[in-house]
Amino acid sequence: MKENITLPGDPLPSNSRFYIERPPIESDAYRELLKPGSLIRIKAPRYMGKSSLMLRLIHQAQTQGYSIVTIDFKLVDSQTFLSLNDFLRWFCVNVARQLSLASHLDDYWDEEIGSKVSASIYFESYLLEQIKSPLVLILNDVDYIFQYQQIAQDFLLLLRNWHEQGKQTPIWQKVRLVLLHSTEVYIPLNINQSPFNVGLSLKLPEFTVEQVTELARRYELDWCDSQAIENLMYWVGGQPYLIHQALYYLHQQKISLPELLDNCANNNCIYNRYLIGLLTILQKDAESSQIYHKIVNYSTINIYLSTNVAYKLDSLGLIKLNGNNYQPACEMYRLFFQQNLLIENHDSSVEKLKQENEQLLFLVNVDQLTQVANRKCFDDRLALEWQRMAHLQKPLSLILADVDEFKFYNDTYGHQSGDDCLRQVAQAINSVIKSPDHLVARYGGEEFALILPQTEAGAAILIAEEIRETVKLLRIKISELTNKTQSTNTARLTISLGIACVIPSGDVSFTEFFQAADQALYQAKQLGRDRTILSSKFKFGYNE
């Protein structure tokens, strides 16, 4: 029976032919679901397909005969968040109800030992004892509870504890946790008390050109011209919901592709209701509105985003990171919000002065040759992140990178070619960085530095290795004379990197930390260049 084609918007059923897989996300998630005591974290902005993937995980769990409980935190009454005790009681009762079990909550609840311990006892001694199969506990819209900071801290600590119990206690191995959220965690959490740095982490990407082409085929559209796909993606990016909407209307022959693309630039497009919904949400937050107004109108200005604002805009899918700069997620967003996101400004001269100050701040902190942060910005930021990570007790990684044989390259090909080489290397490094909290700077000459807050050594090594391979892919040729043959040997330009990682404390000095990264870089050079070395002293989070 042919699937009925309906207007996109709701999660796609597990058997829908319109679901496009984004390998290896689905296979990795299905495999992890089978592991005792597993934890899966799925992150993506709104309308990126989290709920559709969730339905597929539920289907996989059903085929295995697992018990399934789905908790959606957007459905919780606000008064439930007034106390941790009320919240955890609500949580436990809902799990019992979905398992078709009588509550009996008071038989296990003892406020004298605390609500977190009571909740754990209730699960271990009652719920998990009553069911014979593994339990898939799906927690949707987890980021909704971030606004209740104390509740979130205690609840996330509890989830981390349950996951750790699953590594050593047979009854807790029954539990498979699945957490879905739209943005990063923007509340302070001890790194060892959060479920957001363990388990399998999956971030849903946008559709590729190939995936959009396949979806068009499933909508029975004859798209022989790849340029048509590229034109559509220029306006709406690879955002699954926007792509589905376009292909649905084209399939229904309610609009032609040229008309659809032309209308993206005005308020009469097929996305009008969706865009107005985003606008309404955005205008409820004055700070986010002000910042996004600048992003869509002043693309040449380096705009600083606080962590909270960055995460809010990211959760709505309104921005993407390009190096150290933010930009609208797609061209349609840029034009729509330029026209409709109106910010009251009673004094244009004051606003102009603010813009000029922002531009001046940008010039003061940016290296003019490479367009990444300069030495001054690096020094200021490293001191700031050192203090911030010491307060949060979270890891800080530092990567120092040096272009191999750059003096020879500069002397051989000239200073203009040398400058062009540094620009390419800087942008290659910048392209690897995805987090808004991370900073790329030109430290001096051919040396670059990266500040990576809330990043353990293992993750820093992966970033450093990606940088090393990305620089090689530039295919910048460098020739040198060999002593034996006096012939010319041509190779690609490479880069060496040194890493240090630590949780700042009174036991470690700021200078020692920097020197450790510098020494690791020196070792990389001494061992033959084109390699990454981690400091043997400062390597927090690295398991050899």
Side-chain angles (χ1 to χ4, degrees), residues 365-376:
N365 287 287
V366 171
D367 178 69
Q368 295 305 299
L369 174 63
T370 60
Q371 292 298 294
V372 297
N374 59 19
R375 172 68 177 274
K376 175 187 179 300

Side-chain angles (χ1 to χ4, degrees), residues 43 183-185 203 302-307 310-311 314 319-326 381 385 388-389 395-397 429-440 450-456 459-460 463 466:
K43 174 189 174 295
T183 186
E184 302 291 350
V185 185
K203 183 175 182 179
N302 189 31
I303 299 171
Y304 170 76
L305 270 67
S306 67
T307 301
Y311 289 163
D314 178 53
I319 57 174
K320 60 182 177 182
L321 188 63
N322 182 16
N324 285 330
N325 299 316
Y326 294 95
R381 182 70 170 271
E385 293 296 354
R388 191 166 74 94
M389 294 303 102
L396 176 65
S397 286
I429 295 173
N430 220 2
S431 70
V432 172
I433 299 305
K434 303 298 188 293
S435 171
D437 286 343
H438 295 175
L439 179 77
V440 177
L450 293 87
I451 301 171
L452 313 175
Q454 303 190 54
T455 304
E456 294 185 354
I463 291 172
E466 186 175 352

Side-chain angles (χ1 to χ4, degrees), residues 110-339:
D110 185 348
E111 294 188 12
E112 290 187 3
I113 63 173
S115 53
K116 293 199 294 291
V117 175
S118 294
S120 296
I121 292 173
Y122 183 69
F123 264 76
E124 182 174 337
S125 301
Y126 179 57
L127 297 181
L128 297 179
E129 287 285 356
Q130 293 295 313
I131 59 175
K132 303 304 179 184
S133 62
L135 168 63
V136 178
L137 183 54
I138 300 174
L139 307 182
N140 196 16
D141 290 311
V142 174
D143 42 332
Y144 185 80
I145 68 172
F146 294 169
Q147 59 188 302
Y148 305 97
Q149 183 168 318
Q150 191 55 56
I151 297 288
Q153 287 176 330
D154 286 325
F155 182 61
L156 295 175
L157 168 60
L158 183 63
L159 295 180
R160 171 64 178 260
N161 179 260
W162 290 354
H163 175 63
E164 295 293 338
Q165 287 290 324
K167 296 178 180 179
Q168 51 192 340
T169 309
I171 196 163
W172 281 103
Q173 291 177 359
K174 284 185 176 182
V175 179
R176 279 82 162 146
L177 286 169
V178 180
L179 277 57
L180 297 95
H181 54 112
S182 297
T183 186
E184 302 291 350
V185 185
Y186 54 80
I187 58 174
L189 293 171
N190 185 301
I191 194 167
N192 296 315
Q193 298 179 348
S194 165
F196 288 94
N197 64 336
V198 292
L200 174 66
S201 175
L202 301 173
K203 183 175 182 179
L204 300 186
E206 292 189 336
F207 283 161
T208 64
V209 172
E210 293 74 19
Q211 288 164 346
V212 175
T213 304
E214 172 59 21
L215 185 58
R217 186 191 66 77
R218 297 184 190 185
Y219 271 102
E220 302 171 348
L221 297 169
D222 183 15
W223 288 49
C224 299
D225 183 7
S226 62
Q227 187 62 47
I229 295 286
E230 293 177 5
N231 289 341
L232 174 61
M233 295 183 71
Y234 168 77
W235 283 102
V236 303
Q239 209 264 28
Y241 172 74
L242 300 180
I243 294 293
H244 271 284
Q245 284 273 325
L247 299 183
Y248 169 81
Y249 277 95
L250 291 169
H251 173 270
Q252 297 294 317
Q253 297 182 348
K254 295 183 178 181
I255 193 171
S256 67
L257 181 61
E259 289 174 325
L260 188 151
L261 299 182
D262 287 343
N263 289 339
C264 281
N266 58 52
N267 290 337
N268 296 318
C269 68
I270 61 173
Y271 303 112
N272 195 45
R273 180 177 296 181
Y274 167 78
L275 292 169
I276 290 174
L278 283 176
L279 179 65
T280 301
I281 295 171
L282 194 57
Q283 287 182 325
K284 292 178 180 178
D285 187 324
E287 183 182 11
S288 297
S289 295
Q290 291 277 356
I291 292 295
Y292 200 60
H293 182 265
K294 293 178 182 179
I295 290 174
V296 299
N297 284 284
Y298 309 115
S299 58
T300 59
I301 296 178
N302 189 31
I303 299 171
Y304 170 76
L305 270 67
S306 67
T307 301
N308 282 8
V309 170
Y311 289 163
K312 288 176 183 177
L313 295 177
D314 178 53
S315 71
L316 293 171
L318 289 172
I319 57 174
K320 60 182 177 182
L321 188 63
N322 182 16
N324 285 330
N325 299 316
Y326 294 95
Q327 62 186 52
C330 62
E331 186 62 19
M332 181 176 69
Y333 285 175
R334 184 191 305 277
L335 292 178
F336 176 82
F337 287 102
Q338 278 180 351
Q339 298 171 23

